[in-house]
Amino acid sequence: MTKPVGPYTPVVRSGDVLYVSGQVGIADGALVAGGLDAEVVQAMANLKSQLEANGSELTDLIKTTLFLVDMDDYARVNELYVEALGDHRPARSCVAVAALPIRASFEIEAIATAH
């Protein structure tokens, strides 16, 4: 599991709900190489890891928020998001931002049910 890149808690549980802080494509303390695709795949893996460490899984996602540095990446991110989630479709927002931590191009935060 990756360490946070800032002063926050990666996951907070409130009753039967998990709030997962933003996950970027970080592995071994650094942004993964390979551009957008690699970052999205790693960020989704990091999200999955955070959920599983707290007794949940991707199919328990209720809501996600995606952050993109370039909205031109929207279609490709959708493809990778669907690959990661299969047929599960939580509620979702996607916003463009000027920049993300560690110069990431993609970040995802989530709300999920906990077991």
Side-chain angles (χ1 to χ4, degrees), residues 3-114:
K3 288 184 173 183
V5 296
Y8 58 87
T9 302
V11 180
V12 172
R13 184 180 184 134
S14 179
D16 291 334
V17 179
L18 297 174
Y19 296 87
V20 184
S21 296
Q23 301 295 306
V24 295
I26 192 171
D28 300 322
L31 192 63
V32 295
L36 177 72
D37 284 27
E39 286 185 44
V40 173
V41 169
Q42 185 63 52
M44 295 301 292
N46 293 345
L47 173 61
K48 181 179 179 184
S49 177
Q50 294 290 353
L51 291 170
E52 289 175 349
N54 288 276
S56 195
E57 54 192 60
L58 291 173
T59 56
D60 295 315
L61 288 170
I62 299 167
K63 168 79 166 73
T64 61
T65 304
L66 310 182
F67 303 91
L68 301 176
V69 172
D70 186 348
M71 202 50 92
D72 287 342
D73 293 334
Y74 184 77
R76 182 61 184 147
V77 167
N78 280 336
E79 292 171 2
L80 296 165
Y81 183 86
V82 168
E83 285 177 22
L85 296 183
D87 292 331
H88 184 61
R89 298 289 180 270
R92 189 185 91 176
S93 300
C94 182
V95 296
V97 296
L100 290 166
I102 68 168
R103 299 182 183 255
S105 56
F106 172 83
E107 182 173 357
I108 182 169
E109 67 178 22
I111 302 169
T113 55

